[in-house]
Amino acid sequence: MADVSEDIEKAARLVLEATYVLALVGAGMSVESEIPPFRGPGGLWTKYGEPDMRGYDRFIADPKGWWESIVKREGYARDLVEGIAQARPNPGHFALAELEEMGILKYIITQNVDNLHYAAGSKNVAEIHGNIHKLRCVSCGRRFERDEINMEVIPPLCPHCKGYIKTDGVMFGEPIPPDVLKRCEDETGKCDCMLLLGTSAQVYPAAAFPSLVRRRGGSLIEVNPYDTALTAACHVVIRGHTGEALPLLVERIRSLRK
Ligand code: APR
């Protein structure tokens, strides 16, 4: 990683000046945990092409057929599931858990479905695209651990409202579940400093949150090895990998706080 000490210094001071710090996280955060990103070098969409927007419509039209089809995972789905299965949190995830523990980081809005923030010890996490380990009822919105649902019946049904159960991961064309979207909007409404960590900032509604913070006079800090759709709007850009840069940022914040 190039010498980022000056940027780390600026970022640490901005974080300490702020009152309500959030992190917006993308696939780049988990690349150092050996999970491929979606876009750019080594991206799943780069390799397989971006899926069409009718995934959710296909589920709704034929939930039984959909459940039968996902048993034989192929292409990007297989790579993503296998990547997540072997993944462990990396120093970037642990650095965010530490910032939360220090009372500085108030919430994480993650686009990742890999559960690695919780695995690293973070508690305040909004999973805007769902969690790969969970299931969700498309009618009442309740979420379940996999062992809470009778998978002998295909399609599986909600034990409360008999609605159809799907994986919690938000599919292309699927609306973001209203409870998690409200949490993200409420947290963003309080935020005066947002860390943009390993996201290309191309997918909405998540990509809109930083602009809302900036519009209200808040500061934006980006950690990414490459330019993104929001680089120009950021006050500080740390050109590097989150697994290396975030521990340095936490260390500098700790020393400045003394
Ligand atoms: N550290 C920091 N950033 C990194 C690293 C790293 N080690 N490696 C790659 N990156 C950056 C890339 O430069 C890129 O800008 O992470 C970003 C990953 O971008 P995407 O693959 O587009 O991931 P993301 O922004 O999370 O995509 C949003 O799109 O396809 C949907 O549902 C999917 O949640 C996903 C959403």
Side-chain angles (χ1 to χ4, degrees):
M1 183 166 71
D3 175 16
V4 293
S5 52
E6 225 177 280
D7 301 319
I8 294 277
E9 182 69 22
K10 280 190 231 155
R13 290 182 184 280
L14 271 182
V15 166
L16 284 171
E17 280 161 21
T19 57
Y20 208 88
V21 180
L22 294 188
L24 177 67
V25 172
M29 181 91 191
S30 296
V31 165
E32 292 151 276
S33 297
E34 312 295 328
I35 302 176
F38 297 96
R39 298 169 187 83
L44 291 170
W45 306 159
T46 314
K47 184 174 172 187
Y48 294 103
E50 191 147 344
D52 65 43
M53 294 301 282
R54 286 165 295 143
Y56 186 60
D57 295 344
R58 279 194 287 275
F59 171 81
I60 294 295
D62 178 14
K64 184 169 183 298
W66 184 85
W67 274 102
E68 283 158 355
S69 73
I70 69 157
V71 177
K72 46 185 187 305
R73 280 205 175 87
E74 283 148 348
Y76 81 86
R78 182 199 50 233
D79 293 11
L80 186 62
V81 168
E82 286 174 2
I84 291 175
Q86 59 72 43
R88 296 291 168 272
N90 66 57
H93 295 103
F94 290 115
L96 292 186
E98 222 179 310
L99 266 187
E100 183 187 88
E101 185 74 26
M102 292 160 71
I104 289 176
L105 183 62
K106 305 299 186 210
Y107 232 92
I108 295 171
I109 298 175
T110 186
Q111 299 167 85
N112 302 344
V113 297
D114 55 36
N115 201 55
L116 292 180
H117 294 293
Y118 287 120
S122 289
K123 297 185 182 51
N124 301 324
V125 183
E127 297 169 308
I128 192 168
H129 295 158
N131 183 309
I132 201 165
H133 301 301
K134 296 194 175 139
L135 301 174
R136 176 168 35 89
C137 170
V138 293
S139 302
C140 69
R142 281 185 179 87
R143 292 179 183 81
F144 304 91
E145 301 300 328
R146 286 183 179 252
D147 57 11
E148 293 177 87
I149 299 293
N150 171 8
M151 297 302 286
E152 258 129 55
V153 180
I154 294 292
L157 300 177
C158 174
H160 295 276
C161 77
K162 301 288 172 258
Y164 291 127
I165 294 282
K166 64 177 285 295
T167 47
D168 185 36
V170 175
M171 292 182 210
F172 279 84
E174 181 177 359
I176 303 287
D179 57 345
V180 69
L181 184 58
K182 182 168 184 332
R183 165 61 66 181
C184 295
E185 289 167 344
D186 290 354
E187 291 299 317
T188 300
K190 295 183 260 181
C191 176
D192 60 356
C193 176
M194 188 172 264
L195 305 168
L196 312 185
L197 308 175
T199 182
S200 60
Q202 295 181 39
V203 174
Y204 290 76
F209 300 146
S211 311
L212 295 174
V213 171
R214 170 123 200 173
R215 217 171 296 146
R216 287 196 353 274
S219 55
L220 301 180
I221 298 165
E222 182 172 70
V223 183
N224 199 307
Y226 304 105
D227 264 9
T228 74
L230 282 171
T231 301
C234 291
H235 298 83
V236 180
V237 175
I238 300 170
R239 263 291 158 263
H241 296 149
T242 42
E244 294 166 352
L246 289 175
L248 293 175
L249 180 62
V250 172
E251 193 188 316
R252 189 66 194 124
I253 289 171
R254 260 193 203 291
S255 60
L256 282 171
R257 252 182 142 190
K258 282 205 188 103

